[in-house]
């Protein structure tokens, strides 16, 4: 019997090549032109789970993309770990900003990944991180080291809001019953500063439409005499933050969790370099809510951001026109106790209330979800902590993330179990951006660390 490190060093080239094959399939859930590839990716994931030795592997059809479910049950009296991940990826656009094509993975060295990183859409979010679990299971089964039951649930619609997964989870509570949920779909501070994500922000995503005159108008004949929807929308959006960068939506902060000074001081101890942060983004200053640090602004505080804005003429050259309509997509990141449906309603009421005469506004909610905070004294957290201590030789720092995985709050509600977020990516891995990548060291470290989580979890559960 080998320990994870030995097994990985023997099989590492194959582990990398298998991931590269998975990354070649463009499973872009947001774009229906990639429907066939997305279905094909589900099959590839199912096959990989069959191959490592799951007894049951199912491709569960939904009205959207299927959910891959698999399990290996060794004894009903032993604990069960449920692994969740997603096989869909974000659209790679804009393509011209990639140094190599997003679905033709290449390995390149970077400053932070001197041992090389795989560049491809989905490398880190989440194919690479999800596949670590498949390979960790391979190790455990091949070496008779699987100490408990394991279930996998890998979905294909995370990047578009997990609507069908929510439906599936609510209808399959027994099938999905577990003692702990394990997810690798977040990040850590640095390769030499391991951290475990203890919080995710909630999300409310809306689209707004401002309509002025009933048709596009000549901007000379009508300009100055009618409300220009793009001007109005810009003004309305600008008014959503005050001079201190507080959000002005009425009632927005009413339920926001207030951290004590001690809690904030503790957060402030996590290693962070503002100079490095600015340098990595080529900015000369950070920007955000008055009274909070950069780390706080991007984790324990709620936000409101325009994600896209359009209308009028944006083609080549100039066209003199006042558009009939203007649009924007807006995301609000939420923190504990803010309810996403309530916030969506508050936003809608506020946005309609600030609309001036001469235009009409329409607010359409897209998707959303609640935030999540996991305690650091649970068996799951302590087992993860011990696993990192074993493989990183350092105690991981608990850290709340700014990102969202809305389904996690729903897991707790429907399946009554806690989620442990063992993410091995770095913020600089460019998830959702051009040139997304995942460090090979990180990929292999994840595979090495996961089996220890199982071992310690089962031990502590006794
Ligand atoms: N894996 C990310 C979320 C994430 C990344 C959390 C890094 C913490 C650290 C996930 O795939 C994602 O992109 N979620 C979306 C929300 C979803 C509803 C589209 C997000 O956070 O924008
Ligand atoms: Mn993800
Ligand atoms: Mn994502």
């Amino acid at each position: 019997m080998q320990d994870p490190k030995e097994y990985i060093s023997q099989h590492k080239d194959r582990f990398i090549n298998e991931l590269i094959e998975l990354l070649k399939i463009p499973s872009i859930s947001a774009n229906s032109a990639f429907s066939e590839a997305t279905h094909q990716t589900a099959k590839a994931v199912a096959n990989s789970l069959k191959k490592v030795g799951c007894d049951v592997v199912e491709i569960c059809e939904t009205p959207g993309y299927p959910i891959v479910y698999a399990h290996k049950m060794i004894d009903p009296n032993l604990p069960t770990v449920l692994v969740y991940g997603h096989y869909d990826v974000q659209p790679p656009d804009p393509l011209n900003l990639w140094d190599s094509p997003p679905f033709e993975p290449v390995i390149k060295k970077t400053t932070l990944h001197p041992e090389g990183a795989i560049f491809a859409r989905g490398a880190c979010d989440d194919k690479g991180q999800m596949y670590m679990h498949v390979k960790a299971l391979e190790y455990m089964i091949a070496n008779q080291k699987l100490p408990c039951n394991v279930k996998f649930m890998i979905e294909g619609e995370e990047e578009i809001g997990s609507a069908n997964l929510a439906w599936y989870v609510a209808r399959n509570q027994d099938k999905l019953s577990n003692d702990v949920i394990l997810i690798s779909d977040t990040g850590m501070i640095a390769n030499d500063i391991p951290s475990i994500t203890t919080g995710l922000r909630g999300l409310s995503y809306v689209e707004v439409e401002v309509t002025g005159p009933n048709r596009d108008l000549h901007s000379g004949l009508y300009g100055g005499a009618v409300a220009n929807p793009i001007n109005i929308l810009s003004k309305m959006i600008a008014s959503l933050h005050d001079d201190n960068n507080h959000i002005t939506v009425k009632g927005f902060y009413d339920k926001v969790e207030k951290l004590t000074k001690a809690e904030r001081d503790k957060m402030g101890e996590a290693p962070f370099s503002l100079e490095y942060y600015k340098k990595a983004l080529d900015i000369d200053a950070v920007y955000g809510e008055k009274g909070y640090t950069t780390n706080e602004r991007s984790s324990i505080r709620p936000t409101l951001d325009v994600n896209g804005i359009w209308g009028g003429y944006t083609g080549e050259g100039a066209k003199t026109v006042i558009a009939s309509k203007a649009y924007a997509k807006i995301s609000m990141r939420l923190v504990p106790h803010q309810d996403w449906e309530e916030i969506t309603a508050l936003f809608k009421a506020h946005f309609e209330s600030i609309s001036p005469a001469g235009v009409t506004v329409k607010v359409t909610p897209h998707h959303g979800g609640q935030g999540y905070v996991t305690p650091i004294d649970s068996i799951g957290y302590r087992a993860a902590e011990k696993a990192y201590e074993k493989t990183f030789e350092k105690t991981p720092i608990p850290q709340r993330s700014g990102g969202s995985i809305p389904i996690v709050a729903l897991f707790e509600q429907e399946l009554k179990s806690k989620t442990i977020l063992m993410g091995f990516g770095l913020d600089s891995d460019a998830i959702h951006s051009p040139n997304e990548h995942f460090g090979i060291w990180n990929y292999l470290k994840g595979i090495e660390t996961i089996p220890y989580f199982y071992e310690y979890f089962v031990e502590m559960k006794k």
Side-chain angles (χ1 to χ4, degrees):
M1 261 192 309
Q2 297 175 305
D3 72 10
K5 223 179 167 147
E6 272 169 54
Y7 188 81
I8 291 162
S9 72
Q10 258 171 38
H11 298 274
K12 111 181 212 242
D13 291 344
R14 177 171 57 82
F15 285 3
I16 294 166
N17 289 331
E18 286 177 13
L19 174 56
I20 285 177
E21 288 309 307
L22 196 61
L23 289 168
K24 286 182 185 168
I25 326 174
S27 47
I28 308 166
S29 51
N31 186 342
S32 57
F34 294 86
S35 163
E36 207 186 306
T38 309
H39 282 278
Q40 194 194 331
T41 310
K43 283 188 199 135
V45 171
N47 285 336
S48 72
L49 285 160
K50 242 177 249 158
K51 224 169 152 186
V52 300
C54 286
D55 332 305
V56 167
V57 180
E58 296 167 0
I59 294 183
C60 309
E61 295 300 334
T62 74
Y65 290 118
I67 293 157
V68 179
Y69 172 85
H71 72 221
K72 171 109 190 141
M73 303 300 277
I74 57 174
D75 181 346
N77 297 315
L78 284 169
T80 300
V81 175
L82 173 67
V83 175
Y84 162 80
H86 61 96
Y87 65 80
D88 64 321
V89 302
Q90 282 279 325
D93 318 79
L95 286 173
N96 61 315
L97 295 182
W98 284 77
D99 296 331
S100 55
F103 298 105
E104 293 173 29
V106 291
I107 297 176
K108 279 187 293 187
K109 293 190 163 109
T110 72
T111 320
L112 291 177
H113 297 297
E115 297 175 42
I118 306 178
F119 283 75
R121 171 55 87 229
C124 180
D125 184 12
D126 179 41
K127 283 176 179 166
Q129 297 216 68
M130 175 270 291
Y131 207 66
M132 296 182 313
H133 289 269
V134 181
K135 295 298 98 179
L137 182 62
E138 173 188 317
Y139 160 75
M140 290 187 286
I141 294 179
N143 292 280
Q144 291 88 47
K145 288 254 186 170
L146 180 66
C148 62
N149 307 308
V150 55
K151 297 176 178 174
F152 271 69
M153 178 170 64
I154 312 297
E155 72 155 318
E157 297 184 316
E158 195 278 342
E159 299 291 8
I160 52 171
S162 302
N164 290 301
L165 185 73
W167 170 89
Y168 179 84
V169 170
R171 274 160 194 76
N172 289 283
Q173 284 157 327
D174 288 339
K175 178 174 179 172
L176 300 172
S177 67
N178 64 79
D179 295 276
V180 69
I181 299 170
L182 189 56
I183 302 179
S184 295
D185 192 22
T186 55
M188 58 180 188
I189 298 175
N191 285 2
D192 56 352
I193 313 172
S195 59
I196 297 177
T197 304
T198 52
L200 294 164
R201 285 195 285 194
L203 180 68
S204 164
Y205 200 108
V206 299
E207 183 164 329
V208 300
E209 179 189 292
V210 175
T211 306
N214 60 5
R215 61 185 163 91
D216 289 7
L217 301 172
H218 188 289
S219 66
L221 289 181
Y222 290 93
V226 296
N228 176 331
I230 301 178
N231 292 7
I232 301 285
L233 175 61
S234 307
K235 243 185 176 167
M236 290 171 74
I237 287 172
S239 80
L240 296 175
H241 290 91
D242 68 15
D243 290 343
N244 291 326
N245 279 316
H246 287 295
I247 295 155
T248 57
V249 173
K250 248 192 221 78
F252 188 82
Y253 291 101
D254 286 359
K255 295 191 175 165
V256 166
E257 176 193 47
K258 286 198 183 52
L259 271 70
T260 62
K261 178 157 185 319
E263 284 171 304
R264 288 179 65 186
D265 287 349
K266 183 93 194 114
M267 273 189 70
E269 285 169 20
F272 177 75
S273 155
L274 193 60
E275 279 321 301
Y276 176 78
Y277 186 89
K278 288 192 288 189
K279 205 164 162 253
L281 300 175
D282 274 327
I283 50 175
D284 60 5
V286 291
Y287 187 90
E289 190 183 2
K290 195 175 170 190
Y292 294 92
T293 65
T294 295
N295 257 338
E296 290 172 337
R297 287 170 179 167
S298 63
S299 63
I300 58 160
R301 297 298 294 168
T303 64
L304 185 155
D305 276 296
V306 177
N307 291 234
I309 181 163
W310 70 103
Y313 185 69
T314 57
E316 194 183 328
K319 177 187 178 192
T320 48
V321 68
I322 291 174
S324 163
K325 284 173 186 288
Y327 308 82
K329 291 185 194 277
I330 296 175
S331 70
M332 288 164 274
R333 297 283 168 171
L334 311 176
V335 297
H337 311 319
Q338 281 183 300
D339 176 84
W340 79 272
E341 282 172 316
E342 203 175 311
I343 292 291
T344 305
L346 286 175
F347 176 88
K348 187 171 189 290
H350 179 85
F351 208 70
E352 286 166 357
S353 81
I354 60 171
S355 138
V359 298
T360 52
V361 311
K362 197 168 114 193
V363 177
T364 311
H366 274 280
H367 55 67
Q370 313 296 42
Y372 184 73
V373 175
T374 197
I376 60 169
D377 57 1
S378 69
I379 293 181
Y381 186 88
R382 284 190 289 122
E385 187 175 59
K386 209 173 149 192
Y388 282 76
E389 281 168 355
K390 172 84 185 168
T391 58
F392 286 78
E393 290 164 6
K394 273 184 188 161
T395 301
I397 298 169
Q399 206 187 37
R400 290 208 210 172
S401 170
S404 309
I405 312 177
I407 203 71
V408 172
L410 201 109
F411 286 160
E412 174 145 336
Q413 190 190 316
E414 300 286 343
L415 306 175
K416 313 278 179 266
S417 46
K418 297 275 175 232
T419 291
I420 304 301
L421 297 156
M422 287 174 69
F424 294 91
L426 301 183
D427 282 355
S428 53
D429 286 346
I431 64 170
H432 293 207
S433 306
N435 302 315
E436 176 178 352
H437 54 281
F438 189 33
I440 289 184
W441 185 89
N442 301 66
Y443 176 55
L444 300 176
K445 204 62 167 175
I447 302 171
E448 183 188 340
T449 309
I450 291 163
Y452 290 109
F453 170 82
Y454 283 73
E455 181 182 331
Y456 301 143
F457 182 74
V458 174
E459 219 172 81
M460 291 181 191
K461 231 4 215 178
K462 273 180 194 153

